Amino acid sequence: GQQQSANVQSEEIDEAAVLVAQVEDFKTSKTLRTTVNDREIVVFHHLGKYHALDLRCYHSGGPLHLGEIEDLDGRACVICPWHKFKIVLESGEGLYQGVDPRETKRTKKWFSKGVKQRTHKVTVRNGGVYVTLSDTSTMWCDSDTYANEKFNDQPCPD
Ligand code: FES
């Protein structure tokens, strides 16, 4: 029905896509922790859209699958549980709050640090959720530092 089709992004599957879950899996949980070709990935299902990002936070490798989702300035962000860094689900941009010195009214606003967390393509087809890793050779992302290492659940140093 209407409701269901709004929740499904249906596209052609590309060759490198890896099946990570079924659409039904996201009925009970909005977050999926997975591994695609040895890379730790988190998939969020938020407001009917899927977003795949490197699982380990670009700052110090924090576990983003344990982070809360918050709307900041109209952008859905995951808040890293370790030091509360904010990462835009859609783009992987790091956000910080600051004051624009050129403005007379010194109100705090959200600014982008640029893309810090690598995002990956999600495709939904026939009830399956697929992730295609983005090409790591064309652009460096800070989260690449932590993408292939194994971390335990010890808090990282501040
Ligand atoms: Fe994510 Fe520090 S590890 S904010």
Side-chain angles (χ1 to χ4, degrees), residues 30-32 42-47 49 51 53 64-72 75-81 85-90:
K30 299 261 178 225
T31 305
L32 175 86
V42 57
V43 182
F44 295 105
H45 188 226
H46 181 70
L47 301 178
K49 278 199 83 179
H51 304 277
L53 299 97
L64 292 185
H65 62 294
L66 301 177
E68 300 284 329
I69 307 290
E70 261 180 47
D71 188 292
L72 300 175
R75 283 177 287 183
C77 296
V78 57
I79 317 296
C80 178
F85 276 33
K86 285 106 178 118
I87 298 166
V88 180
L89 294 186
E90 187 85 45

Side-chain angles (χ1 to χ4, degrees), residues 55-64 79-87 113 117 146 156-158:
L55 181 132
R56 294 291 173 176
C57 174
Y58 73 90
H59 175 225
S60 280
L64 292 185
I79 317 296
C80 178
W82 278 4
H83 315 100
K84 311 295 176 202
F85 276 33
K86 285 106 178 118
I87 298 166
K113 305 183 206 175
Q117 194 76 15
Y146 303 99
C156 59
D158 288 313

